[in-house]
Amino acid sequence: MPTLRFVKYLAAAAWLAPLFAQPATYQNPGAPLEKRVDDLLGRLTLEEKVSQLMNDSAAIDRLGIPQYNWWSECLHGVARAGRATVFPETIGLAATWDTDLLFRVSTAISDEARAKHHEFVRRGQRNIYQGLTFWTPNINLFRDPRWGRGMETYGEDPYLTGRMAAKFVLGLQGDDPKYLKTVATPKHYAVHSGPESERHVFDAVIDDRDLFDTYLPQFESAVKEGGALSVMCAYNSVDGQPACANPRLLTDILRKQWGFQGYVVSDCGAIGDIYQSHKFAGTAPEGVALALKAGTDLDCGTEYRNLLPAVRAGLVAESDIDRALRRLLTIRFRLGIFDPPAMVKYARIPYSVNDSAAHRQLALETARKSIVLLKNDG
């Protein structure tokens, strides 16, 4: 029988053990990024993994993973998240022809985005429009007056759009070597700009010259020069394949040719269009399997719940889910979401920058420079 002293020793050791226990690798800010991601990924069940592949990603309390909603907007100021500095609409920003000015604008926007996000977190709020991943900029070309979102774009020219997009992305994502300030999401990839009523069924059939000379240069600039770490795939089809289930667009061009290192998010409901509108797949599990394997990592919507039956049916492998989730977790770590705010310099941006006098003055300067007079000289 153990002595009373030995029993007391065991009890004390059990009580003290948690105080000396090492944190899990994913909880260690000093561990290499890849090891943190792999460690966390290895702790998740299949159901938990799938829950993280939709824009409203669920909390996983047992691992200390907070809820995160990937959907935020900042086309010309932080949108739908309370008071913010409002800059001229995008078509007006393009009219300045001033890329340095646009960099200052997007830097101001990302300052406010960070300040707002941390204020929401302090209040225990992690809802839509309160995160750090922004579905901006819209770099489609405005060539059809029937398109009601043309004012969201930088106009009809691929070159100007590419120059503006790269600077806007740089200002949003910041320059810290470890942490991202926010994430920019150039959209809608690709060949998307026309009547809104047809966007869920339209098939853009174009030749390679038009594709690479007209509709892709601005996306290439945003990725290669701006370093964009997210891209949103479009509702429409391109050459018979839905954009969000298009291996040529999402894997061959975006990742292999351009070296894209981020994640692809669908436009909202576009995964459902694959099997409901485009009729490119016969069932929901077949449709989501095509999207995931083509390279769409994040579903804006809830269609990716069908990945569970897709795995059971052998339509997609758990390794395909792991590949997509690894990209998403990498971004969350790089945003500092799992680290103490004191370690992330962007977390120290004061809330007072929001709608500040300096930002209002910048908005006024930008508005003045966006006014263009056309001279009729005959």
Side-chain angles (χ1 to χ4, degrees):
M1 294 292 291
T3 66
L4 181 60
R5 179 178 294 178
F6 184 64
V7 170
K8 289 181 178 179
Y9 169 78
L10 290 177
W15 182 80
L16 290 170
L19 300 179
F20 295 98
Q22 294 296 314
T25 301
Y26 77 91
Q27 296 172 320
N28 179 7
L33 175 62
E34 295 79 7
K35 291 186 179 298
R36 297 182 74 186
V37 172
D38 287 342
D39 179 59
L40 181 53
L41 187 62
R43 297 170 186 271
L44 298 172
T45 66
L46 177 60
E47 290 76 10
E48 288 170 337
K49 291 175 183 178
V50 170
S51 76
Q52 301 301 295
L53 297 184
M54 292 168 278
N55 70 283
D56 192 2
S57 298
I60 302 176
D61 295 330
R62 69 181 184 88
L63 295 174
I65 300 176
Q67 174 193 3
Y68 185 73
N69 198 304
W70 294 80
W71 186 348
S72 291
E73 304 279 359
C74 67
L75 194 66
H76 57 115
V78 181
R80 301 174 180 174
R83 190 176 185 87
T85 307
V86 179
F87 295 91
E89 184 62 273
T90 315
I91 198 73
L93 296 174
T96 68
W97 288 72
D98 190 335
T99 55
D100 291 335
L101 175 64
L102 192 65
F103 177 78
R104 290 164 56 205
V105 167
S106 62
T107 298
I109 291 171
S110 56
D111 280 351
E112 296 194 9
R114 265 288 178 175
K116 282 176 171 288
H117 168 73
H118 293 290
E119 181 63 20
F120 283 127
V121 171
R122 284 190 287 269
R123 298 177 184 177
Q125 299 175 13
R126 299 178 183 271
N127 302 315
I128 190 171
Y129 312 135
Q130 297 175 352
L132 294 169
T133 42
F134 288 88
W135 295 351
T136 300
N138 183 342
I139 57 175
N140 296 129
L141 301 182
F142 187 24
R143 291 185 165 180
D144 189 329
R146 296 171 296 174
W147 189 32
R149 296 177 66 177
M151 71 288 196
E152 294 184 11
T153 75
Y154 294 107
E156 72 277 13
D157 183 68
Y159 179 77
L160 175 62
T161 299
R163 303 279 65 71
M164 292 295 193
K167 283 291 189 178
F168 198 87
V169 169
L170 285 167
L172 286 186
Q173 296 192 163
D175 59 0
D176 187 81
K178 181 173 182 178
Y179 293 109
L180 292 164
K181 193 177 187 184
T182 68
V183 173
T185 306
K187 62 185 184 185
H188 309 81
Y189 182 73
V191 201
H192 176 87
S193 55
E196 287 290 280
S197 61
E198 299 179 11
R199 64 183 182 173
H200 296 281
V201 296
F202 183 71
D203 181 18
V205 180
I206 56 173
D207 59 29
D208 275 2
R209 178 173 180 176
D210 204 18
L211 180 66
F212 286 97
D213 285 357
T214 303
Y215 292 102
L216 294 187
Q218 62 273 34
F219 284 97
E220 185 175 8
S221 296
V223 169
K224 286 186 173 181
E225 298 171 44
L229 286 169
S230 175
V231 167
M232 177 179 283
C233 53
Y235 287 121
N236 55 278
S237 289
V238 179
D239 289 331
Q241 286 189 306
C244 292
N246 194 310
R248 188 190 184 204
L249 285 177
L250 302 181
T251 298
D252 297 343
I253 296 173
L254 184 62
R255 294 194 180 277
K256 294 182 179 179
Q257 293 184 28
W258 297 349
F260 177 67
Q261 297 297 312
Y263 67 92
V264 174
V265 58
S266 75
D267 205 342
C268 298
I271 302 298
D273 286 344
I274 294 169
Y275 49 91
Q276 292 172 339
S277 302
H278 294 295
K279 309 297 184 184
F280 193 69
T283 66
E286 291 171 347
V288 299
L290 289 172
L292 189 74
K293 290 193 288 188
T296 300
D297 306 300
L298 182 67
D299 168 27
C300 177
T302 58
E303 290 86 359
Y304 268 3
R305 289 183 297 190
N306 292 288
L307 284 171
L308 292 172
V311 170
R312 290 193 288 267
L315 298 169
V316 70
E318 187 169 356
S319 60
D320 296 315
I321 291 173
D322 288 349
R323 181 183 63 243
L325 184 53
R326 182 174 283 107
R327 293 167 181 162
L328 297 174
L329 290 175
T330 297
I331 292 297
R332 292 183 70 175
F333 277 110
R334 291 194 62 192
L335 285 167
I337 289 173
F338 297 112
D339 294 349
M343 296 187 64
V344 185
K345 75 172 186 179
Y346 299 124
R348 300 193 291 271
I349 296 173
Y351 190 71
S352 58
V353 304
N354 189 55
D355 192 30
S356 62
H359 287 182
R360 289 186 183 188
Q361 185 60 39
L362 178 60
L364 177 60
E365 176 189 349
T366 309
R368 286 170 172 162
K369 290 183 176 179
S370 72
I371 298 170
V372 178
L373 298 179
L374 300 180
K375 181 181 179 181
N376 183 353
D377 59 6

